[in-house]
Amino acid sequence: QVQLVESGGGLVQAGGSLRLSCVASGRTFSSYTMGWFRQPPGKEREYVARISWSGGSTNYADSVKGRFTVSRDNAKNTVYLQMNSLKPEDTAVYYCAREKTPGSYDIWGQGTQVTVSS
């Protein structure tokens, strides 16, 4: 059983930065594209970013382009989401997930809360 555990969330002031980590246990995820999603309070879950198995290809939602950077360190079985210039609307529970097929994710972490104060 593969498990994904997010960490690094917390309370940050608007304009600040935060780095989220997602560590895989049980097996390596090196051959999988990994994605980041978030769910704002009272809203549906939305796509944030993804990164290919090699790290050579990344993609971002328009809402975070230029502010967020996704990266990975396969030797550490870890995916990162560097979040800069944070805005109150970035407040959400952030999840990482493993892509099974393009656009379909089969394993999810428990989520980590990010709160951005104004």
Side-chain angles (χ1 to χ4, degrees):
Q1 177 64 47
V2 176
Q3 292 184 317
L4 303 176
V5 179
E6 301 96 335
S7 63
L11 177 64
V12 65
Q13 188 176 9
S17 298
L18 207 60
R19 188 177 76 160
L20 305 183
S21 298
C22 172
V23 180
S25 62
R27 64 165 293 165
T28 182
F29 63 87
S30 61
S31 63
Y32 295 92
T33 291
M34 300 292 292
W36 283 98
F37 297 79
R38 67 187 183 186
Q39 186 168 18
K43 303 293 182 62
E44 295 183 355
R45 186 174 62 203
E46 65 183 23
Y47 168 79
V48 175
R50 68 177 185 268
I51 184 168
S52 65
W53 72 270
S54 68
S57 179
T58 59
N59 180 268
Y60 301 90
D62 288 342
S63 59
V64 306
K65 284 182 179 178
R67 300 188 299 119
F68 290 12
T69 302
V70 62
S71 62
R72 67 192 299 164
D73 185 341
N74 289 340
K76 297 181 178 180
N77 295 322
T78 302
V79 177
Y80 304 96
L81 185 67
Q82 178 66 47
M83 306 184 295
N84 299 325
S85 301
L86 284 163
K87 305 174 181 179
E89 50 262 46
D90 294 319
T91 295
V93 177
Y94 283 72
Y95 301 89
C96 67
R98 187 183 77 174
E99 187 180 70
K100 180 183 179 183
T101 57
S104 181
Y105 295 80
D106 64 343
I107 299 176
W108 297 76
Q110 84 291 341
T112 185
Q113 176 71 49
V114 172
T115 302
V116 184
S117 65
S118 60

